[in-house]
Amino acid sequence: MSENEGDAGQRGDSVDARPLWGTRPSEAPDATNKSGGKKAKPGAKAVPADPYRYRMDYPNMGTCVIINNKNFHPRTGMGLRNGTDLDAASAMQTFSKLGYKMKMANDQTVAQLQSLLYNVSQEDHSDSASFVCVLLSHGDEGIFYGTDAFVPLKTLTELFRGDRCRTLVAKPKLFFIQACRGTELDGGIEMDSVSHQSSAKIPVEADFLYAYSTAPGYYSWRNTSNGSWFMQALCEMLQHYSSKLELMQIMTRVNQKVALDFESASSTPGFSEKKQIPCIVSMLTKDFYFP
């Protein structure tokens, strides 16, 4: 990537994590029929439902919540996340076009984001096909930052478990998480060219997808002029392939784009020419096709 204006007067790419030990924050990088198919036209012959495909014939696609944290209390030691507003705008545009009802919240404290997500989880999602949450902030392994402190990521996502959000049971719940998961850097490496059984119960953790911007333990890169690598790739691939490919195929293309098309250009010593690979953790039980 070309070098761009960086955070706090620096130029280049930045990461969504706690500042490096021994550096000032201003100098360091950021650290139900149950399957798919469209609703049949009146008088059309009924088509058997596909048991391996999520239903998309609900009245609406569902809600998409975007948490966009840019400014942080000094006590957190976290820097300004320049470029995140581009991510939020891209996500808003992308998921709105896919048919989601959008909810955007900027600079949320831990209490505010917990309250927001709890309230959404208690809404009636009976007419919704799915749920999406885009989380943009600093982070570390297993944690996500509000503007004033951090919270275990699981505390946020478990609000939508099957035993806590009954109207989303057996429906896909998609979380896209742009945040660091540690402080490791990936320098990359040069390469050469080259029988279904039904059950009355389902696990409460079923039908979740967690799309992390980076692998466990690693920094997550965000370009201050263009937005984060992961969100750039995610929005581009969804826009190009949502009408053609299953979600996991789309996410594989996101992985490829981030892995091959991006490389850091940072003014911080040791932070240039670094790579990144997203990490997709799926507990989905069916194929997900956008209608």
Side-chain angles (χ1 to χ4, degrees):
M1 298 183 62
S2 61
E3 186 175 289
N4 294 284
E5 182 175 353
D7 290 2
Q10 298 199 26
R11 295 177 60 80
D13 293 301
S14 189
V15 292
D16 284 322
R18 183 183 298 279
L20 296 175
W21 179 260
T23 60
R24 297 196 307 273
S26 61
E27 295 177 340
D30 283 28
T32 322
N33 183 347
K34 296 183 179 177
S35 56
K38 296 183 178 179
K39 189 178 294 184
K41 295 179 180 179
K45 185 177 180 180
V47 178
D50 185 343
Y52 297 106
R53 184 166 175 163
Y54 285 111
R55 283 182 57 192
M56 287 290 125
D57 59 349
Y58 289 91
N60 60 75
M61 278 298 293
T63 298
C64 174
V65 177
I66 301 174
I67 305 292
N68 178 37
N69 287 348
K70 179 178 182 178
N71 303 285
F72 296 82
H73 193 283
R75 67 170 173 266
T76 65
M78 295 296 172
L80 183 70
R81 297 186 63 251
N82 284 324
T84 190
D85 292 336
L86 293 168
D87 288 343
S90 294
M92 174 74 78
Q93 180 183 46
T94 298
F95 287 102
S96 178
K97 285 184 177 179
L98 291 172
Y100 287 91
K101 296 181 294 184
M102 306 303 300
K103 292 187 178 184
M104 169 87 80
N106 295 310
D107 287 344
Q108 297 288 285
T109 65
V110 168
Q112 287 173 329
L113 67 91
Q114 286 183 286
S115 177
L116 171 61
L117 292 178
Y118 173 78
N119 289 336
V120 173
S121 74
Q122 297 305 297
E123 293 174 358
D124 186 355
H125 300 271
S126 300
D127 290 341
S128 298
S130 59
F131 170 74
V132 171
C133 183
V134 179
L135 298 170
L136 310 171
S137 190
H138 289 296
D140 207 328
E141 184 57 38
I143 66 173
F144 182 80
Y145 270 84
T147 57
D148 60 338
F150 64 82
V151 60
L153 187 60
K154 185 175 177 63
T155 300
L156 305 178
T157 61
E158 68 183 5
L159 295 169
F160 297 89
R161 287 181 2 174
D163 56 345
R164 300 187 182 185
C165 184
R166 299 303 299 269
T167 55
L168 282 174
V169 168
K171 299 175 182 179
K173 295 161 280 284
L174 315 178
F175 287 82
F176 300 95
I177 305 150
Q178 168 57 40
C180 280
R181 303 180 71 187
T183 57
E184 293 185 60
L185 291 165
D186 188 337
I189 187 169
E190 296 296 330
M191 63 179 183
D192 297 329
S193 298
V194 281
S195 148
H196 182 69
Q197 293 182 348
S198 62
S199 171
K201 284 186 176 182
I202 63 170
V204 298
E205 302 282 2
D207 303 299
F208 280 85
L209 179 134
Y210 304 101
Y212 296 94
S213 59
T214 192
Y218 282 87
Y219 278 124
S220 183
W221 291 93
R222 170 179 38 81
N223 187 277
T224 56
S225 295
N226 299 323
S228 66
W229 301 356
F230 174 65
M231 291 304 298
Q232 288 181 61
L234 174 66
C235 292
E236 180 180 336
M237 295 300 106
L238 284 173
Q239 290 169 8
H240 286 179
Y241 296 111
S242 62
S243 63
K244 305 172 185 176
L245 300 178
E246 197 273 330
L247 180 59
M248 292 303 293
Q249 292 177 302
I250 297 173
M251 297 312 300
T252 299
R253 282 161 173 74
V254 173
N255 281 4
Q256 183 186 70
K257 183 171 182 63
V258 174
L260 300 183
D261 290 4
F262 294 89
E263 185 172 289
S264 66
S266 175
S267 60
T268 303
F271 276 67
S272 286
E273 300 181 348
K274 302 303 178 183
K275 304 291 287 182
Q276 179 178 320
I277 182 68
C279 177
I280 315 303
V281 180
S282 175
M283 277 85 87
L284 298 180
T285 58
K286 300 179 183 181
D287 295 332
F288 184 106
Y289 286 91
F290 292 99

